[in-house]
Amino acid sequence: MNPLAYFRIFNNEDCPCGSGKKFKECCKGKPDHEPVQSKKPPEVQIMEQMRKSMVKCCMHPDQSNCNGKIKNAHALQNNKIISLLAGTERHVYTMDKKRQPLIIPIEGEEPEVMVEFSRVSANDATTETCFCDRHDNIAFAVIEKGAPDFDVNSEPMKFVYAYKAFIFEYYKQEVSHKIFQQCFKKRPPVFQLPQMVGLYRVSQLRLKEFKPVKRHFDSEIMAGTYNGIETCVITIPERINFANYTFIAPDYDLNGKRIKHTIKGVMHRIAITAFPEDTKSYILLSCLSSEKHIYAKFFEQINNASLEKVKFYFSMILPLYSENMVLSPVLWNKWDDEIKMAFTFYANLNGKIFKRYSIAIGMGLRNAANSKVPFDYSKRGKIDLFMK
């Protein structure tokens, strides 16, 4: 592959503005429609545009039967998971992308754009405008109606939790891509800068990787079945003070060995959902059955590991790999300012800096697994998601 393809737009590719025309016939050579230059980096301008733009659409495959308004659907159930975390205070701490991001200068690097973790009402936490009223009620009924306890033997429940983690991430990718198209149309010269083309290429690749997963979920939903998903269930015998949903490809297993999740340039991800219930908690890891061979050893390793080792692993992995963490005030207030800032920093990382920290985590996991003296996995780092 031509390495320049990652950093420039070519004449005969579809124009990034989304017109359907070739670039040379569309936005090539067009002037900047907003000549007053903003001092903010282009990626910050995109984030601000995303805050202003509420892309409302229903992600359910049965489009012909959409009914009711596009609602603020919860990625994590408000009447169960969020309510448990919020307690009597009725608020949680999560990354609030509606707030103005911080721009952190880093010597010798591009500045980091950081979204802070903020106090958010339980009713507003993990909401996206991505389902109509009818389909929000139908799609998630098996885990929503009457707030049923999770059943480790229920394939429908495992399927729906995996679908929910995936589809909310898919929606955010779609929104991000559409916002980039809008920005490119307004400011072609700015959004042809190499760093912005790089963001566009990442967005293109992610949507390409997500499409087969969406096709599988859509097919099963339309058929009324719950097949083709493999789920590893971790049961924790106490109520945790955080929840999470994400669709990621962790680079390392519990022993710091690389997981070969990228095949012929295509990354294969797993849906992860962590949530509390009244007296216990669960972490669900799901992949397509067609991708089971990629994660089978990892799932087996988790099933055979001690609970303390599993907690150690997820306390290291989730803060870096997931931006969708929801923390109870109980946990957040136990952390000092240094830990809160570190947690926020990890959740915002991407690109080369993310990779460096991921490699460091892999090294830490390997050192623990290969320690000559049995490692005490109950002694987690400063960012301890399972702090009691």
Side-chain angles (χ1 to χ4, degrees), residues 215-280:
R215 281 197 298 270
H216 176 81
F217 277 119
D218 286 353
S219 175
E220 291 295 314
I221 289 168
M222 292 301 289
T225 50
Y226 304 95
N227 302 318
I229 299 294
E230 299 290 331
T231 300
C232 172
V233 179
I234 302 163
T235 303
I236 301 169
E238 71 263 1
R239 185 196 291 185
I240 59 177
N241 287 309
F242 75 95
N244 158 265
Y245 71 93
T246 193
F247 187 60
I248 59 169
D251 290 320
Y252 299 96
D253 67 11
L254 273 67
N255 294 328
K257 184 178 179 181
R258 269 200 172 277
I259 299 173
K260 296 178 181 178
H261 50 56
T262 301
I263 302 169
K264 295 182 179 180
V266 176
M267 184 178 287
H268 302 270
R269 296 169 173 81
I270 52 177
I272 301 178
T273 308
F275 59 93
E277 293 200 335
D278 282 326
T279 59
K280 60 181 69 173

Side-chain angles (χ1 to χ4, degrees), residues 46-187:
I46 290 179
M47 291 180 71
E48 290 180 342
Q49 185 71 23
M50 288 183 72
R51 289 206 314 275
K52 295 174 185 175
S53 302
M54 290 184 68
V55 178
K56 296 184 177 183
C57 60
C58 183
M59 302 304 293
H60 196 277
D62 187 16
Q63 294 286 303
S64 61
N65 285 309
C66 285
N67 192 23
K69 293 181 179 180
I70 301 295
K71 63 190 295 184
N72 283 318
H74 286 81
L76 297 167
Q77 299 101 298
N78 183 30
N79 62 357
K80 181 182 178 183
I81 297 171
I82 300 297
S83 292
L84 281 176
L85 294 173
T88 56
E89 297 184 41
R90 295 300 299 156
H91 72 264
V92 292
Y93 287 86
T94 190
M95 188 181 281
D96 186 0
K97 293 194 173 182
K98 295 178 182 178
R99 297 188 61 173
Q100 180 74 22
L102 302 175
I103 302 174
I104 312 296
I106 298 177
E107 189 175 350
E109 303 276 357
E110 291 291 327
E112 269 305 313
V113 180
M114 188 175 294
V115 179
E116 294 182 275
F117 276 77
S118 308
R119 175 175 163 146
V120 175
S121 164
N123 290 331
D124 296 330
T126 75
T127 57
E128 302 286 356
T129 50
C130 57
F131 279 93
C132 71
D133 188 58
R134 178 176 185 270
H135 285 134
D136 184 54
N137 289 327
I138 292 173
F140 312 116
V142 297
I143 62 173
E144 289 278 4
K145 288 190 175 178
D149 289 342
F150 176 69
D151 180 355
V152 296
N153 297 311
S154 171
E155 293 305 318
M157 278 189 164
K158 288 184 277 190
F159 180 97
V160 171
Y161 272 114
Y163 174 63
K164 211 169 193 187
F166 165 76
I167 201 64
F168 276 75
E169 288 287 352
Y170 180 87
Y171 167 77
K172 286 193 285 187
Q173 290 298 325
E174 284 270 23
V175 170
S176 176
H177 196 72
K178 287 177 181 177
I179 297 301
F180 187 97
Q181 289 175 332
Q182 293 171 14
C183 290
F184 192 95
K185 187 174 183 178
K186 291 178 181 178
R187 312 194 67 186

Side-chain angles (χ1 to χ4, degrees), residues 43 47 94-97 99-104 106 110-118 206 317-325 332 340-355 357:
E43 56 267 37
M47 291 180 71
T94 190
M95 188 181 281
D96 186 0
K97 293 194 173 182
R99 297 188 61 173
Q100 180 74 22
L102 302 175
I103 302 174
I104 312 296
I106 298 177
E110 291 291 327
E112 269 305 313
V113 180
M114 188 175 294
V115 179
E116 294 182 275
F117 276 77
S118 308
R206 283 182 180 168
I317 291 289
L318 288 180
L320 181 64
Y321 279 79
S322 177
E323 62 181 27
N324 305 316
M325 301 291 293
W332 183 254
K340 290 174 182 175
M341 194 63 197
F343 182 78
T344 302
F345 176 74
Y346 291 144
N348 278 275
L349 289 182
N350 53 62
K352 292 180 180 178
I353 300 179
F354 169 88
K355 274 295 179 188
Y357 276 86

Side-chain angles (χ1 to χ4, degrees), residues 22-61:
K22 298 301 180 186
F23 174 56
K24 65 181 179 182
E25 299 166 350
C26 192
C27 288
K28 184 177 181 179
K30 283 187 178 179
D32 191 340
H33 295 300
E34 297 181 20
V36 178
Q37 295 297 314
S38 171
K39 294 181 180 179
K40 298 172 184 175
E43 56 267 37
V44 175
Q45 296 176 47
I46 290 179
M47 291 180 71
E48 290 180 342
Q49 185 71 23
M50 288 183 72
R51 289 206 314 275
K52 295 174 185 175
S53 302
M54 290 184 68
V55 178
K56 296 184 177 183
C57 60
C58 183
M59 302 304 293
H60 196 277

